[in-house]
Amino acid sequence: MNIPISSKALYRALNRTVLHGRSTQRITCMCTQLQATEETRTNHANIQMLSENLHSQIFKNTKPQTLSEEALSRVKQHLIKHGLWDKTSTKAEPLTIDLPKMLGNNIGDHFEEIAKERTKNYFAYAEHMSNSITSIPEKPTQWLYQSGWTKYETDGAVKTVKYPDENVMIFDVEVCMQAGNVPILATAVSKNAWYCWVSHYLTDEGCHIPQDITPDSMIPMSGEDLSKEKLLIGHNVAFDRSFVKEVYHLNDNGIRFLDTLSLHVCVSGVTNEQRNYMNQKNPASVYEWMNHGSTNSLAKLYEFYCHKTLDKSTRDLFVEGNLQDIRESFQLSKTFNSICVEHSLRIW
């Protein structure tokens, strides 16, 4: 396919940062690099196209397309109808420049290869978690009531840690809606251990949640080395990630997130109209597509993929209750938080 473009527009585009592999290369187009060494390429409508030099690099191994006389006639009549046929325009000088070596045979291949290179470690972490489902350690029967992170190891050891030292985890965050938009509880699990995080606003009864939220209210997921790679998997993870401390750093970090809800939408999601129909208490008819799709809540996905039900009545404690209610029912609240992690893991 031929794409009309002016040399000035391409000059500006090439003068920006171009991603290539792991490095970032800046291509600066100096005037000496612009050479009018070939004839201007135009299509049948006399619209200027990419120069032969650029076209051969961007669309290599692609044969020029030809139009039939009938197709050309339709194009001409359409342009005549809108007063656009046989118009003259200023032609820019053809641009000759050597682009960075393309990965693959076309632009699609090029950026797909770059994406694979940049995400290969996280893809490996995701596969590792998938292969570890059967070896996840037993969930603790009692949770330690102390602020910060607590690690529950496979040998029964319980220790305080600053953050989970894992490359990949399933995690879930709970918020007390009546207390404010801050995380109260979080649970994470890996192949090696369970992790429990408790906010100091919960353990310190004299500590009140301020109106202006600070980073100290958020959940730490890594140490001082922000570049360390880590994959966090969750259901509707956009909600959970908003309470992770590292995402608010001005500098980039190595934490990435993977959403089971988004993956479900790709595989067995439903449209808005279908969701509204499925949410009716007594739908007029049952259609075949209803057996192959599900709405997006964790409970519905657990029922759809695992054929089991999730009792979410405890969630009302986080919606209607206050911090004191959660303190008095800490073990119940923490168990519910951990069950959400378990079910996210099964869906995963």
Side-chain angles (χ1 to χ4, degrees):
M1 179 182 294
N2 294 327
I3 301 176
I5 186 170
S6 69
S7 59
K8 289 183 178 180
L10 188 57
Y11 176 92
R12 290 193 296 268
L14 291 175
N15 198 38
R16 297 171 183 165
T17 300
V18 178
L19 293 177
H20 183 72
R22 281 188 170 272
S23 63
T24 302
Q25 298 180 341
R26 179 169 294 278
I27 305 174
T28 304
C29 304
M30 305 302 292
C31 293
T32 56
Q33 292 176 286
L34 304 178
Q35 304 174 19
T37 59
E38 57 185 63
E39 294 183 1
T40 300
R41 294 177 64 250
T42 59
N43 63 10
H44 295 288
N46 199 32
I47 298 174
Q48 184 174 6
M49 315 304 289
L50 284 177
S51 67
E52 186 64 39
N53 170 267
L54 291 175
H55 186 274
S56 62
Q57 296 179 76
I58 296 174
F59 299 101
K60 62 180 183 179
N61 302 326
T62 301
K63 295 181 179 180
Q65 294 181 347
T66 58
L67 294 178
S68 65
E69 291 297 329
E70 181 183 357
L72 287 174
S73 177
R74 290 200 305 269
V75 170
K76 181 178 179 180
Q77 293 304 317
H78 182 77
L79 293 176
I80 290 175
K81 179 181 178 180
H82 294 280
L84 299 174
W85 180 255
D86 202 23
K87 296 292 183 179
T88 58
S89 60
T90 303
K91 300 293 191 299
E93 293 182 351
L95 182 62
T96 300
I97 186 173
D98 291 332
L99 298 177
K101 182 180 178 181
M102 184 175 291
L103 307 177
N105 294 321
N106 51 57
I107 290 179
D109 290 346
H110 178 75
F111 286 103
E112 184 174 350
E113 289 300 318
I114 292 175
K116 287 180 179 179
E117 174 65 21
R118 290 182 172 272
T119 61
K120 63 181 181 181
N121 290 347
Y122 297 99
F123 189 83
Y125 298 150
E127 283 194 321
H128 174 77
M129 178 56 75
S130 296
N131 296 331
S132 302
I133 290 179
T134 57
S135 57
I136 293 298
E138 289 290 330
K139 186 175 63 176
T141 56
Q142 287 290 316
W143 303 93
L144 197 60
Y145 184 64
Q146 67 176 17
S147 62
W149 281 107
T150 304
K151 180 179 182 180
Y152 300 82
E153 298 181 327
T154 54
D155 60 0
V158 179
K159 61 175 66 174
T160 300
V161 294
K162 292 183 178 180
Y163 57 89
D165 189 19
E166 307 282 351
N167 290 118
V168 56
M169 296 183 297
I170 306 283
F171 87 120
D172 182 74
V173 177
E174 299 296 342
V175 173
C176 179
M177 302 301 295
Q178 301 299 322
N181 192 33
V182 296
I184 297 300
L185 299 175
T187 302
V189 67
S190 72
K191 181 181 179 180
N192 305 312
W194 280 86
Y195 294 86
C196 165
W197 181 86
V198 182
S199 171
H200 63 279
Y201 293 124
L202 188 66
T203 56
D204 186 354
E205 297 188 21
C207 187
H208 299 286
I209 298 177
Q211 288 186 338
D212 297 328
I213 306 302
T214 66
D216 292 336
S217 305
M218 300 292 104
I219 305 170
M221 281 292 185
S222 63
E224 296 181 358
D225 183 10
L226 297 178
S227 64
K228 182 177 180 179
E229 294 179 347
K230 183 171 295 190
L231 179 65
L232 301 179
I233 304 169
H235 189 73
N236 191 21
V237 80
F239 172 81
D240 302 284
R241 71 172 293 174
S242 67
F243 302 109
V244 173
K245 181 178 181 179
E246 285 74 15
V247 302
Y248 295 97
H249 279 278
L250 295 179
N251 297 327
D252 192 18
N253 62 78
I255 299 178
R256 299 294 182 267
F257 299 84
L258 194 56
D259 186 20
T260 55
L261 187 154
S262 298
L263 296 176
H264 160 71
V265 170
C266 295
V267 176
S268 298
V270 294
T271 65
N272 289 337
E273 291 78 7
Q274 289 174 321
R275 182 176 66 248
N276 293 336
Y277 188 84
M278 295 176 75
N279 286 336
Q280 295 179 14
K281 290 185 177 180
N282 297 301
S285 303
V286 177
Y287 298 99
E288 177 62 23
W289 58 262
M290 298 175 70
N291 297 321
H292 302 282
S294 167
T295 52
N296 300 334
S297 71
L298 179 60
K300 289 295 184 181
L301 263 65
Y302 187 61
E303 181 180 352
F304 178 72
Y305 290 109
C306 303
H307 309 292
K308 298 179 181 179
T309 57
L310 168 61
D311 182 8
K312 303 201 74 172
S313 58
T314 307
R315 177 171 288 277
D316 294 339
L317 189 63
F318 295 97
V319 177
E320 302 173 0
N322 54 35
L323 289 180
Q324 188 58 36
D325 294 327
I326 297 175
R327 292 186 187 106
E328 294 173 357
S329 304
F330 175 74
Q331 294 299 327
L332 177 64
S333 302
K334 200 70 194 70
T335 298
F336 171 77
N337 186 204
S338 65
I339 288 175
C340 290
V341 172
E342 282 185 315
H343 291 359
S344 297
L345 175 64
R346 301 308 170 195
I347 292 171
W348 168 252

